[in-house]
Amino acid sequence: MTCEAAFLADLGGGLRFELAGGTATGTDHLATGRPNQDAYTFRAEGRHLVAVVSDGCGSGARSEVGAALGARLVAEQVLAALRRGGDLESTETWEDVRRGALAPLRVMAAGMGESLAEVVSTYFLFTVVGLAVSGDTACVFSIGDGLIALGEEVLRLGPFPRNEPPYLGYGLLDRPPGGEAPRFTVHRAFPSSALRTALLGTDGAVDLLESSSRALPGGGGEVGPLSRFWEDDRYFRNPDAVRRRLALINRSVARPVWKEERMAREGGLLRDDTTLVAARRAPPERG
């Protein structure tokens, strides 16, 4: 099953997870007319579950293309590796995932004309942050920057020097920056039975984290903690709820100040595109 909103994944053996996702365009992108360059997806098959968020390189004119393709390709390659019996804690498994995701991108890039380096920098530079569950094991992984929350533990991935994170797409180049193609990092591996909640975010989610005590534009309370995205049932019942919450946090509001005969304007709080996938354990199905 593939989904990009909200769904329930039953992995058998009493392991059931609810997932929800959403994205909002950053205020910097809105101001310059750039599109949202983030993407996300989740896939479930048998006893396997994968969720991925992806952020296209801001300087790439069309990197939203690579982000959308990359999220789906990485998710599918993780599932393919698990079907073959791959071990989530094995570097060999993640190298198989990396090579498998790059293979179709390499074919596309080669057929798009111009220089390979130009095509890659324009379309195929994106970060990856993910969660995988297979049988008794779960892990969180990444290439590039972003944010992972496992319960109350928050992992901030980056920032990187000169704000230049590693990108999976560098593996398409004969001479990648730094001299070596980036590899996946597994940040945590643990028994799947211990997984209660998880949140994956692109680097825009750091703004969300740091804005938790700020007032919503136009009023209506505070932004609130990240935990609301896995604690509040509405995000798993309404497939548009995560996006709507992010849009509320990032809306631009104009209100009249009558005594001063002027309009007061409040801007959104998320400068960069912000994309989240939240996951939580669902109760066992009642017989």
Side-chain angles (χ1 to χ4, degrees):
M1 177 187 294
T2 302
C3 192
E4 293 179 0
F7 85 124
L8 174 69
D10 189 340
L11 308 187
L15 279 179
R16 302 170 76 240
F17 293 95
E18 295 176 303
L19 292 98
T23 186
T25 306
T27 58
D28 285 356
H29 282 222
L30 291 169
T32 58
R34 286 183 294 166
N36 187 329
Q37 294 177 307
D38 284 2
Y40 70 96
T41 193
F42 8 99
R43 293 268 284 114
E45 181 181 292
R47 298 201 68 196
H48 311 312
L49 169 67
V50 185
V52 173
V53 298
S54 182
D55 177 11
C57 173
S59 62
R62 298 303 306 273
S63 64
E64 70 275 9
V65 174
L69 292 171
R72 294 292 294 268
L73 287 169
V74 169
E76 181 55 40
Q77 289 303 314
V78 173
L79 283 180
L82 296 176
R83 290 187 209 107
R84 296 191 295 267
D87 180 353
L88 288 176
E89 298 183 73
S90 166
T91 56
E92 182 178 346
T93 295
W94 291 102
E95 183 62 7
D96 286 347
V97 171
R98 187 186 75 88
R99 290 176 177 172
L102 287 175
L105 293 178
R106 182 172 289 108
V107 173
M108 283 187 284
M112 292 174 68
E114 302 183 1
S115 72
L116 178 62
E118 180 69 21
V119 170
V120 170
S121 65
T122 300
Y123 294 95
F124 296 136
L125 296 183
F126 54 88
T127 61
V128 175
V129 179
L131 165 73
V133 181
S134 178
D136 296 330
T137 305
C139 75
V140 286
F141 60 91
S142 74
I143 292 181
D145 52 9
L147 181 146
I148 298 170
L150 295 170
E152 297 304 312
E153 181 186 16
V154 176
L155 308 176
R156 294 174 62 159
L157 314 178
F160 292 87
R162 300 180 300 279
N163 196 29
E164 296 177 359
Y167 295 112
L168 177 66
Y170 283 156
L172 300 170
L173 303 176
D174 293 333
R175 296 181 180 179
E180 186 175 350
R183 263 64 178 177
F184 281 100
T185 297
V186 174
H187 300 279
R188 299 283 188 276
F190 44 88
S192 53
S193 59
L195 179 61
R196 297 295 180 224
T197 66
L199 183 139
L200 311 174
T202 55
D203 64 342
V206 174
D207 284 346
L208 181 65
L209 174 68
E210 294 178 346
S211 299
S212 61
S213 61
R214 296 182 66 180
L216 292 168
E222 293 184 345
V223 170
L226 293 177
S227 59
R228 74 162 56 237
F229 288 99
W230 62 78
E231 291 176 347
D232 194 328
D233 291 344
R234 79 183 74 180
Y235 297 112
F236 302 94
R237 301 294 176 261
N238 182 341
D240 197 38
V242 174
R243 184 204 63 80
R244 291 173 63 181
R245 181 66 184 181
L246 294 176
L248 187 67
I249 294 167
N250 220 31
R251 66 177 175 166
S252 179
V253 178
R255 294 187 295 177
V257 182
W258 300 113
K259 291 182 179 180
E260 301 176 19
E261 297 182 347
R262 67 179 179 87
M263 297 293 290
R265 301 184 183 278
E266 295 180 69
L269 305 181
L270 307 174
R271 294 184 57 189
D272 199 2
D273 300 337
T274 301
T275 300
L276 304 178
V277 168
R280 69 181 187 182
R281 281 286 288 274
E285 191 171 16
R286 294 179 180 177

